[in-house]
Amino acid sequence: MTVIITLLVSLTISCTPATGVSYRAYDEMPRQDSIIFKKEQMMAVSDSAYFFWFRDDIELQSSDPHAYWLMNRMMQSVQYVKTAEDAVAWTLALNEDVKEYGRRIDRRINDRRAEDAAAQAMEDLIALYGAGNQPELNIESYVLSILEHYRLINSYIRLMDLQHDNELKRLLYREYREWFDINNAMNGLMVFYTYAAAGYSALPMDINYTFSYWSEARRNELKIEKDIYWSYRWEPYQSDARKISGRKFANLIAHFKGQSSEEIIKGIVSQWEEKDYDYAQERFGECFDFDRIYEMATYYETALQNWKAVREQIKSHLPKQKQKSYSEITREINTRLYDDLLRLKKISY
């Protein structure tokens, strides 16, 4: 199942800052030609691809041919996502496929309901792998993680599309790009640090479920943010999340930046009843790429700083009565990001 890990890493780990545009307001945002071109390119790739992920699974195909077609389109095109702009183009391309899916099943429903219906059909289809062996479970978790990522990017697109203030629209897109980079860096740390020494059969599933959780958590946070922006029955939002100081967060990031083979081996052996440092060195000494770990930690640090800065700018564009609520959800997200990063400190092997 190495292919599953490889594809997840290729989707999520890229240190190139992303730029781009969102949804319908192409004339109001930068790089309109780029995003349209990428969307068409991804659709062309899906049209011409000869490789179907599940081409040998006749049972899966016959269970729901239309969901089978859509799921393969999604899994083919996602392999070309490297940047935040790519992810938007991929989502817009997949939205076109969802419309085609609706035509194939002869349903004329609005975009949001079409997305929900298509997602549910793919979930139901890939659930056939949920009762299989470990490789099949790994595949199921990967498909579900990509599906959750699609839902999240669509949530971002819809939020940006609601904005009539062009400056706020641009700031929201910047916030999305910084979130994308934070997510990228976390996935890098997960692969190069947390799971670098792991080799158990369920490893791809653990990575994919973590990725799904991050996407779902951000999607739920965006629902709160949308209410703050647009709800006619808006009520002040109060979070019960604890506050994480900048120094505490910086110390956690520094943990990853300061890692060495000696420190990691010492941490692993400390959990063993028999303190066999020689065996640990032989077993794990070559598993970690400390240059990449440092690179990803620095990447995370920069993206987090940029994310906090753009959130402050967004807050300043909101009405005074909503700024405190926006600060509350920002604090809640910041705490969640800290806790997610804290969990990555524990090395699996």
Side-chain angles (χ1 to χ4, degrees):
M1 298 309 298
T2 304
V3 65
I4 301 297
I5 303 176
T6 302
L7 290 176
L8 178 57
V9 173
S10 69
L11 165 67
T12 56
I13 300 176
S14 168
C15 292
T16 305
T19 58
V21 302
S22 68
Y23 210 28
R24 301 173 190 168
Y26 296 131
D27 58 331
E28 301 172 355
M29 303 289 286
R31 302 191 64 172
Q32 57 180 356
D33 293 338
S34 176
I35 198 123
I36 294 172
F37 174 76
K38 286 184 177 183
K39 172 189 171 184
E40 293 174 349
Q41 190 177 47
M42 288 186 181
M43 294 188 72
V45 164
S46 296
D47 287 336
S48 62
Y50 64 89
F51 173 73
F52 268 34
W53 267 57
F54 310 96
R55 65 193 183 284
D56 298 326
D57 196 328
I58 304 302
E59 179 186 358
L60 191 71
Q61 183 175 4
S62 61
S63 295
D64 188 339
H66 301 306
Y68 173 86
W69 170 83
L70 182 61
M71 186 166 64
N72 273 289
R73 301 273 295 187
M74 179 177 74
M75 301 310 293
Q76 288 162 4
S77 56
V78 75
Q79 298 174 59
Y80 296 88
V81 173
K82 308 294 182 185
T83 68
E85 184 179 89
D86 291 343
V88 171
W90 167 71
T91 301
L92 295 177
L94 191 55
N95 285 345
E96 294 299 318
D97 290 334
V98 167
K99 292 178 184 177
E100 174 60 25
Y101 167 81
R103 287 190 287 269
R104 289 185 176 212
I105 63 172
D106 198 26
R107 292 184 65 180
R108 302 293 188 270
I109 50 182
N110 64 45
D111 289 348
R112 180 59 186 271
R113 290 184 61 201
E115 176 194 329
D116 291 341
Q120 188 61 58
M122 287 188 281
E123 283 187 5
D124 292 344
L125 183 61
I126 197 60
L128 294 175
Y129 276 38
N133 55 30
Q134 190 59 58
E136 289 178 336
L137 291 171
N138 292 343
I139 292 175
E140 179 197 29
S141 68
Y142 182 53
V143 172
L144 292 176
S145 74
I146 300 305
L147 184 55
E148 188 60 47
H149 195 63
Y150 164 67
R151 285 167 157 163
L152 169 61
I153 305 303
N154 252 341
S155 294
Y156 260 116
I157 287 172
R158 282 191 289 268
L159 185 60
M160 288 184 279
D161 191 46
L162 286 171
Q163 306 303 323
H164 302 296
D165 182 326
N166 290 340
E167 179 59 24
L168 185 56
K169 190 190 297 285
R170 279 188 280 268
L171 288 173
L172 287 173
Y173 191 79
R174 281 181 54 200
E175 193 275 345
Y176 156 69
R177 281 165 35 202
E178 300 306 337
W179 166 83
F180 188 94
D181 283 347
I182 289 173
N183 201 59
N184 245 358
M186 289 181 70
N187 277 281
L189 290 171
M190 183 166 57
V191 171
F192 295 118
Y193 179 83
T194 311
Y195 292 107
Y200 54 92
S201 61
L203 170 61
M205 186 172 69
D206 287 348
I207 292 177
N208 294 330
Y209 280 150
T210 300
F211 184 53
S212 292
Y213 162 72
W214 289 341
S215 295
E216 183 180 9
R218 187 68 192 104
R219 187 159 63 94
N220 289 333
E221 291 155 358
L222 284 177
K223 292 177 183 177
I224 297 172
E225 292 183 40
K226 181 182 176 182
D227 285 342
I228 294 173
Y229 288 127
W230 290 105
S231 176
Y232 290 107
R233 298 179 179 180
W234 173 80
E235 294 182 2
Y237 182 73
Q238 181 69 46
S239 172
D240 60 0
R242 69 195 190 284
K243 183 177 181 180
I244 303 297
S245 69
R247 180 184 294 275
K248 188 173 184 178
F249 217 140
N251 288 340
L252 178 57
I253 296 171
H255 165 83
F256 294 96
K257 295 173 74 173
Q259 287 299 291
S260 65
S261 181
E262 182 180 355
E263 286 292 323
I264 287 178
I265 297 301
K266 188 185 299 182
I268 291 174
V269 172
S270 68
Q271 304 171 44
W272 296 353
E273 187 174 340
E274 295 184 16
K275 311 300 183 184
D276 192 339
Y277 287 90
D278 291 338
Y279 170 76
Q281 182 62 48
E282 180 182 351
R283 170 68 176 81
F284 304 113
E286 300 299 322
C287 293
F288 299 91
D289 185 334
F290 295 101
D291 288 339
R292 294 307 303 274
I293 294 170
Y294 184 89
E295 178 186 12
M296 289 297 159
T298 302
Y299 180 28
Y300 184 98
E301 184 175 42
T302 301
L304 182 67
Q305 291 171 351
N306 292 341
W307 176 80
K308 289 181 178 180
V310 74
R311 298 278 299 187
E312 282 297 313
Q313 289 180 280
I314 291 172
K315 185 180 78 170
S316 69
H317 276 72
L318 297 178
K320 288 287 187 182
Q321 67 270 25
K322 295 191 173 185
Q323 291 183 7
K324 187 177 187 303
S325 290
Y326 191 78
S327 294
E328 287 289 298
I329 186 59
T330 298
R331 176 168 60 85
E332 186 171 301
I333 300 169
N334 185 72
T335 302
R336 196 260 303 169
L337 289 173
Y338 176 87
D339 290 340
D340 290 346
L341 189 60
L342 184 63
R343 280 188 283 271
L344 296 186
K345 280 182 66 176
K346 184 178 180 180
I347 293 176
S348 296
Y349 53 88

